[in-house]
Structure formats: C-alpha cells, structure tokens
Amino acid sequence: MPMSATRQKKTKKNGNGSGKKDRSKQPIANGPSLGLMFLMLSVLVVAGLSGLRFERPGEVYLAGEIAGRDVTANRDFLVEDVDSTRRKQQELADAQPPVYDLSISSSDELEKEINNIFQQINETPQGESEQARWQISELLNREISKTEFRMWRSSDFQNLLLGPVFPWIKAYLQDGVVSDLRKVGQYPSGIIIRDLSTGDERLLRDLGELRDLKDFEQDFNVLLKRDLSKPLRVRKAMNSLLDPLIEPSLILNRESTLQRRNEVRGAVEPVYNHIRKGEIIVRQGERVTPDQQTKLLALYSDQPEYFSRAHAVGLFLVGLLLVLGMYLAHWARKGKVLLDRDAVFLGSMLMVFGIMAKLLSVLKDPLSQSLYFLPLPPELYAFLLPVAGGAGVVAMFFPYSMCFFSTLLLSFLCSELAGGGLPLFAFYFIGGVFYTFFIKRAASRRELLTSVFPLLGTQLLTWGGVGMLGFHGFGWLGAGAVVSQVSGLFSLLTLICLSFIMELAFSFTSRLRLMELMNLEQPLLQELMVNAPGTYHHSLIVSNMVEAGARAIGANPLLSKVSALYHDIGKLKNPLYFIENQFGRGNKHDKLAPSMSALILISHVKKGVELAKQNKLGPEITEIIGQHHGTSLISFFYKKAQELEEHKGGEGLREEDYRYPGPKPQTKEAGLILLADVIEASSRTLCDPTPSRLKGHINTMVRNIFSDGQLDESELTLKDLHQASDAFHRILTGIFHTRIEYPDAKGKSDKKENSDKKEGTDKKDACTKKDVACKKKGRHEESKQANGKSGSEEGEIIPSNLKVVK
C-alpha cells in the first residue's frame, strides 16, 4: 500500500480542529478506585483466613494404653531422643582428655624433707641414735634398720644424695611422673598436662612418653649402679630413704576434669527425631509405646496459636505485590486502567477459592479418618481444589497477560491456605496456565467441553513431577494421580457453572456469548433486517471484511465480526434518514438544514450505544460502537453548509459541530471497523469496480483516514494497515465480481452474441463517460472525500435531486 511511514499532524485547535476537549482520551482517576480497594480487601480477607488456625488438641495416649484412633502429625516437628542424646554426651565426655597438674613443688618438698632428716640425724647424739632411728621410722612409715641408719649418718652418703643424685631426681620429676601408667592408659585421646608454675597446658596424645614411679625406681637403680658404680648396700640404703618420700609430679585434677566434661555434655546438641507432616504416629488399636507417648506429648505440647499474625501479614504483602504486577501488566497496554468491574470480579474469585482452600485444609484430617471408602492421605485433599477451573473462568473474559498474573496470584494464595508448599503451588499454577491456553482456543461449547481432556493430561504429568519431589511410595503416587484427574473434572464443572454466573453478574462478554450474538436470529439483527435492510446488508459485508482483516493482523476476529454486525444498530431509530434504507423514496434530508442532518447522523452513534447497553451486548461491543466513526468529519453536509453560509454572507462554521463526538478507536478491532465501514460504503459509488480500481480506492480511503488522525490511538501499525487493506480487497473483489450475460432464449445466433458483446462494450464506455461526469460534478468518491474526511453516511446520504451512479 503506497503510504508514507511518517506524517506531520495538522495543527488544529485542541488537537482535532475543534474547541472541544478531546474525548478519545480516557480520564485517569486521581485516587484508588473502588474496584482496586475491593481487590485489596479481598487479598486482606484471604490473608486473614490463612492466619487462622483451627487445629484442635488431640487426645494424648499414655504408654501401655490402646489407641482409639489413628494419630497423624498435622505439621513437621522434632522429638528429642533422650537415650541417644545421653549416649552422645557420655561418648564425648569420655573422649575429653583428663587434666593432670604438673607440680614442681614436689621436688622442692622432697629436698626439704631430706634435709630435715639429715639435720635430725646429724644433730642426734651418739647415745640417742636409737631413739632418732625410731622417730625417723615413724616419719617415713617404715622400719629402718640400724645399718641403713648408720649409712644415712655418713657424710659420704649425704653428699652423694645431695650432690649428683638429687639434681637428677629433680629433673626426672619435672618431666612428669605419674603414679601408675595403667590408670593413664584408659584415656585413648591422651591427657592434658597443665604446668602449675606457668599455667600453660599441652595435650599429650602419645602416652608412651609418660613415666610412672615404677619407671623412676628402675631408672634410679640404673643411675646408682651403672653411672655412679655404687654397691648394693648403698643402693638399698638410698632406696629405703627415697621410696617413702618420692611422689608423682603429674597428679589427676579431678575437679577440673569433671568440670570440663560437664561443659562438653552441655555443648552437645540434642538428638532429634524428625516427624514429618502426615506421618502416622500411632495407629488405631495399637498399644502405645513409651517412644510413641513422647511423640504424642511433643505433638500436642507446642500447638500453634489460633491466629498467626506474621503469616497473615507476609501473605498480604506478597499478594499486594502480585496485584501491583497485574495492574502494571494491564496498564502496559496503552496505559489503560483496570476497570472497577474487573477488579471486583478478580476479588470475588480470590475470596471464593480462598474459602474453598481453607475449608479443605480444615477438613482434610477429619475426611481422611471418616471416609473409609476413599482412603486418601490428608495432604492429597488439597490437590482436589479446582484452581485450573478458576483460571479458565478468568480466561473467558481477560487477555493472556491478565490471565497469567491472575493465575499466579490465585495459585499462590490457594496453596498457602490449603497448607501446601512448592509442589502444590506448581500443580495449581501449571494446570491454570495450560487451561488458560486451552480455553482461549475453544470456539464453541463442544470445544469448551473437550478442553478437559488435554487438561487431564497436563495435570497427570504435573502430578508425576511434583509427586516425585516428595515421593512416599507408588501407592501414594497412584492415589495422587487419581486425585489429579478428579481435580480436572471439578475444574470443568467449575468453569461451566462459574463462568455463566460471573458473565451474568458482571456483564462480561465471553467468547461463547460472542458466538451467540453472531447468530443472525438475534432480535436486534432481525429488527435491523426488517426495518433497515440496507444497513443490515451493509453490516454483513463489513463484518466479513473486518473478520478477514482481523485474522490477517492477529486481532480478535470473533469480536471484530460481532461488533461489525451491531455497529450501526443506532440507525434503527431513524432508518429512513439513511440512504441505503430509502430504496428510491424521497430523501428526507432535502427538507432539512445541513446542521440538522449532521445532528441526525451523529445521533445514531449515541443511540447505538444506548441500544447496546439495553440489550446487554457487553462493554467491548458497546465501546466499539461508540468509536466506529472516531471524530471524523461529515464532509458532505459540512461543505453544503459552507456553501449556504457563503451564499448568505454569514460567518464561518464551527467544524466541531460536524464531527462525530468520538472517542477515536482505541483498539485494533475498533480501527478495523472504522476502515471497513468507510471503504464498503464509499466503494458503492464506483462506476466500474474492477480489482485494480478497488485496490486504488481502498488505498486512498486508508490514506485519508490515516492522515486525518483517526487511527492515532488505536494499536494499528503501518504493517497492519497494509495487511488489512489486502484482506479488504479480497472481500470486495468477491462481492463486485463480474458474471457472463446469459442469452434470453436457446439457440441465439453468433450475430446476436456479437451484438450483445458490442452492447456490453458500449455500456462499459457509457460507464466510463458517466464516471468522468461524476468526477466533474464532484460525485466521485475521491472528490466526495475532500480534505481526507470520510464516513459511511457520507457515501449513503445524497440529495434526491442527484443521481446515484451504480
């Protein structure tokens, strides 16, 4: 289509050449709408329901009693295993190395005691030596022989002990000597040696490095015998003196050891048994064991509060963010604000499904115990909720973007209220998204019913995935598969029942409603066919053109076709004022002023909107009826009024009085109807509508409408206009196709046929001459669409004193 990709808008007063405010712009609310407030209130109510806790405390069975019913864990919780905890504490305490104090003072005390003994011996007179011997024997707690006592009194013995022997003893004790290595060997993790003089500690793992008093005795004898070469009597006298006095330098500190072991016991984490939600703690008829009694006590000792504020607030905040995302997704479509009606509908859906989800979460335990014919685990009852059916109801009335966010919000809230986690949310959301796609593709009630079969397959596969996330056996997996199929059937029933209720309650126009309105037996279409047959025929052709154009550009063909069928129902009020319904009778506009004629033409848009509302055609069709002329100029009567004003010498006319009130088309469907309406009406003025003439005519009309700015607020692109023009051309070419001229009687001569051909050629030439005459008189459609203004009525309403070229 020859059309420039860019154009300059004409500078007009207030943007449309008039003093009126541009009505095509939708006003934006200054504050939150009632619908948004209701939707937020719905999220708040659902969040409040999620915070409620209806679980009642159960009966605690004592050990040894017979359980009267199955007791199932209604939540995940932990039970401490006391025996295992004690064993773990004891093991770690035994592994704690004991603390041994290394005391250097023991060698100092030894030296002091030896000096005291030597001093007492040396200071004792010779005659009192026997008395001193018994005193020292009492001190050492052993009998000392006279020979040993005489040996101790000798200066050589004393010098030997205090000279080379004692430093060796002192060094030996400082390295650490225990009383008995057999006692220390019971500590496999080693011992902690704490030096009392410095406070330093070290861990000795290799206990083979330690020496005890027995080792000391052996090493001391080696010292005396081998290194000092002392005789046996000296060695015996030395051992007799030192054996009672030598004490171990490494002494077990029992208090510190016990304290450290108690600290280790306190640091040990208790051993817990993880009881999962849905796990059967005790079965009916079983004798309760002590372990089961402990689990029952833990189950009922920590019951949740009746209302969880934190959970309710968290769910409310997340729900509000999802609502905001839904509003932004809708607003992204040319800045449109979600209607109050739509917000109230979504809020109602949330509350309906939220209450159903909460009821399932409350009744699942009683149902699993009472329905013996349906032995389902309690956690599977949540999968029966037909969230996919709710998503399908939304898909009946909303676009894909709104359906996605609505399904996300619905799935999240219901999974939380039903007490499920990620698997339940995934089951709800995946089923809802796929069912949205299936419903969008359904073009009849039969297809709507059969859409349940792909839904059943989808839910079965989804359950297979989420079921494996928390696998509890193949029996449990099979029961969940049955539940998923029952949920799919419930979704179909929900869709059938709830969609009809919502359609009536909120005046929605669903796809099925559009199919019903497309039926030509509808009362409005019947009245249009009887009282305005020309308009009826015009609407049929426009509907076919628009349907083809919508399919070509990816718009909604069903909505476009149905809207085109009803776009001119406003002409039912005054059908004879439109030339397609006059059929040769006098034109009523001949006796009216141009301003009155323009007013009558403009009024059919307003009356069409009123009829659409009275007959509940739906807001989508009603809006398209109000937009199907945009703010275009009724150029025929405007020019006629200009001529009259110039003849009278009056002031200039107000152009806005001869323009439709608008708004301009806001969607692709409305823009297509405006184009098809003008093109179909004006194409009837063509004298010889050949395919090439039709193509040129369509391109001219589209260019004029585009230049007039009527498509500025629609979603149509230049590519869309090109594809729609080709579709319009195919439809009009089929309508204005040529036929051969049939003979009047059988056996006509070739001469007669030749004369008929010549006559046909003459007629064609005559048509061409008439076409030229039309152009001169200003009756051709291009001159009639002066200044780029066009309207269907302008091609139809022609004064009776002018001849219509057909």
Side-chain angles (χ1 to χ4, degrees), residues 161-374:
L161 180 59
L162 297 176
V165 173
F166 189 78
W168 180 90
I169 295 175
K170 187 175 183 180
Y172 198 96
L173 292 178
Q174 286 180 353
D175 290 337
V177 176
V178 296
S179 60
D180 191 351
L181 283 177
R182 290 175 297 180
K183 296 180 179 180
V184 181
Q186 63 183 346
Y187 306 120
S189 57
I191 64 172
I192 296 176
I193 298 178
R194 182 171 61 182
D195 192 342
L196 295 180
S197 62
T198 62
D200 296 335
E201 295 184 358
R202 63 185 179 92
L203 176 63
L204 181 64
R205 292 187 179 274
D206 187 6
L207 298 180
E209 299 178 4
L210 287 178
R211 289 170 292 185
D212 58 3
L213 294 178
K214 187 176 181 181
D215 294 330
F216 171 80
E217 182 179 355
Q218 293 175 356
D219 294 340
F220 183 66
N221 289 327
V222 170
L223 171 70
L224 294 177
K225 180 179 181 180
R226 187 183 64 185
D227 297 339
L228 299 179
S229 301
K230 298 301 178 182
L232 177 62
R233 59 186 181 83
V234 175
R235 297 199 303 270
K236 290 182 64 177
M238 192 73 71
N239 288 327
S240 297
L241 176 60
L242 293 178
D243 284 347
L245 298 178
I246 292 294
E247 293 182 356
S249 59
L250 285 177
I251 301 174
L252 176 64
N253 191 327
R254 298 184 181 277
E255 183 178 354
S256 295
T257 301
L258 182 61
Q259 179 182 357
R260 297 196 182 194
R261 290 185 175 181
N262 290 334
E263 291 177 356
V264 170
R265 287 190 179 93
V268 172
E269 292 290 336
V271 178
Y272 290 101
N273 291 326
H274 190 186
I275 307 300
R276 297 190 176 275
K277 184 178 180 179
E279 181 178 342
I280 297 179
I281 299 177
V282 61
R283 295 186 180 275
Q284 181 180 3
E286 289 183 351
R287 188 174 298 279
V288 179
T289 63
D291 182 57
Q292 290 174 329
Q293 175 185 335
T294 303
K295 293 180 181 179
L296 290 175
L297 290 173
L299 174 64
Y300 298 126
S301 64
D302 188 22
Q303 286 293 327
E305 300 177 355
Y306 288 104
F307 184 77
S308 175
R309 296 180 181 177
H311 190 273
V313 172
L315 192 66
F316 178 67
L317 291 178
V318 176
L320 280 186
L321 290 176
L322 292 177
V323 169
L324 176 61
M326 182 171 59
Y327 266 77
L328 291 177
H330 187 75
W331 180 82
R333 302 175 62 220
K334 294 186 64 179
K336 293 183 178 179
V337 181
L338 192 67
L339 299 179
D340 288 345
R341 175 199 63 174
D342 301 337
V344 173
F345 163 72
L346 292 174
S348 303
M349 291 287 292
L350 290 180
M351 285 198 289
V352 169
F353 279 86
I355 293 173
M356 292 169 60
K358 191 63 180 180
L359 287 176
L360 275 178
S361 68
V362 174
L363 299 177
K364 60 183 179 181
D365 289 329
L367 287 176
S368 63
Q369 297 170 7
S370 59
L371 297 180
Y372 298 104
F373 60 90
L374 189 63

Side-chain angles (χ1 to χ4, degrees), residues 455-560:
L455 174 64
L456 294 177
T458 300
Q459 299 214 140
L460 184 61
L461 292 176
T462 305
W463 166 251
V466 302
M468 295 302 293
L469 293 177
F471 184 72
H472 295 302
F474 289 102
W476 178 84
L477 194 65
V482 175
V483 169
S484 69
Q485 301 303 286
V486 175
S487 174
L489 296 177
F490 284 169
S491 296
L492 177 63
L493 296 176
T494 301
L495 174 67
I496 295 174
C497 299
L498 202 56
S499 62
F500 178 73
I501 296 173
M502 292 298 180
E503 186 173 346
L504 293 180
F506 295 95
S507 299
F508 281 121
T509 305
S510 65
R511 187 176 181 86
L512 299 179
R513 174 62 175 163
L514 291 176
M515 298 292 292
E516 294 173 354
L517 292 175
M518 195 172 62
N519 188 347
L520 298 182
E521 297 297 325
Q522 288 289 331
L524 265 181
L525 295 181
Q526 288 290 308
E527 185 179 357
L528 193 66
M529 180 178 63
V530 173
N531 297 328
T535 301
Y536 175 78
H537 184 260
H538 161 75
S539 299
L540 289 178
I541 297 176
V542 172
S543 68
N544 291 329
M545 294 173 62
V546 170
E547 182 183 17
R551 293 187 186 278
I553 68 173
N556 189 334
L558 183 58
L559 176 61
S560 301

Side-chain angles (χ1 to χ4, degrees), residues 91-130:
E91 290 174 359
L92 292 178
D94 293 341
Q96 172 65 28
V99 179
Y100 276 79
D101 292 336
L102 176 62
S103 176
I104 302 178
S105 62
S106 60
S107 59
D108 296 337
E109 291 292 333
L110 175 63
E111 183 180 10
K112 184 178 179 181
E113 289 179 358
I114 292 175
N115 288 327
N116 289 334
I117 292 174
F118 284 164
Q119 183 179 3
Q120 184 177 358
I121 293 175
N122 295 333
E123 293 178 353
T124 301
Q126 189 70 26
E128 300 177 1
S129 59
E130 188 66 19

Side-chain angles (χ1 to χ4, degrees), residues 18-193:
S18 66
K20 294 182 179 180
K21 187 178 179 180
D22 189 359
R23 302 180 187 179
S24 63
K25 301 293 184 183
Q26 292 182 349
I28 300 177
N30 294 326
S33 63
L34 294 177
L36 176 59
M37 294 176 64
F38 181 82
L39 184 55
M40 294 172 61
L41 178 63
S42 302
V43 176
L44 180 61
V45 170
V46 173
L49 285 176
S50 69
L52 291 177
R53 297 290 183 264
F54 295 100
E55 293 86 354
R56 57 183 179 84
E59 182 180 357
V60 178
Y61 297 105
L62 300 179
E65 293 182 348
I66 304 298
R69 62 182 181 88
D70 291 345
V71 179
T72 306
N74 57 4
R75 68 184 190 282
D76 292 345
F77 65 96
L78 300 176
V79 178
E80 183 181 356
D81 189 340
V82 179
D83 293 336
S84 298
T85 302
R86 288 176 180 173
R87 284 195 300 270
K88 183 178 179 181
Q89 290 175 343
Q90 188 61 42
E91 290 174 359
L92 292 178
D94 293 341
Q96 172 65 28
V99 179
Y100 276 79
D101 292 336
L102 176 62
S103 176
I104 302 178
S105 62
S106 60
S107 59
D108 296 337
E109 291 292 333
L110 175 63
E111 183 180 10
K112 184 178 179 181
E113 289 179 358
I114 292 175
N115 288 327
N116 289 334
I117 292 174
F118 284 164
Q119 183 179 3
Q120 184 177 358
I121 293 175
N122 295 333
E123 293 178 353
T124 301
Q126 189 70 26
E128 300 177 1
S129 59
E130 188 66 19
Q131 184 180 357
R133 183 175 69 85
W134 286 109
Q135 289 178 353
I136 295 174
S137 296
E138 290 292 336
L139 178 65
L140 297 178
N141 196 26
R142 63 174 298 181
E143 183 178 358
I144 302 172
S145 65
K146 296 180 180 180
T147 304
E148 292 174 341
F149 186 76
R150 287 193 300 269
M151 183 72 67
W152 292 356
R153 292 190 68 172
S154 67
S155 58
D156 293 338
F157 182 87
Q158 294 181 5
N159 293 332
L160 174 65
L161 180 59
L162 297 176
V165 173
F166 189 78
W168 180 90
I169 295 175
K170 187 175 183 180
Y172 198 96
L173 292 178
Q174 286 180 353
D175 290 337
V177 176
V178 296
S179 60
D180 191 351
L181 283 177
R182 290 175 297 180
K183 296 180 179 180
V184 181
Q186 63 183 346
Y187 306 120
S189 57
I191 64 172
I192 296 176
I193 298 178

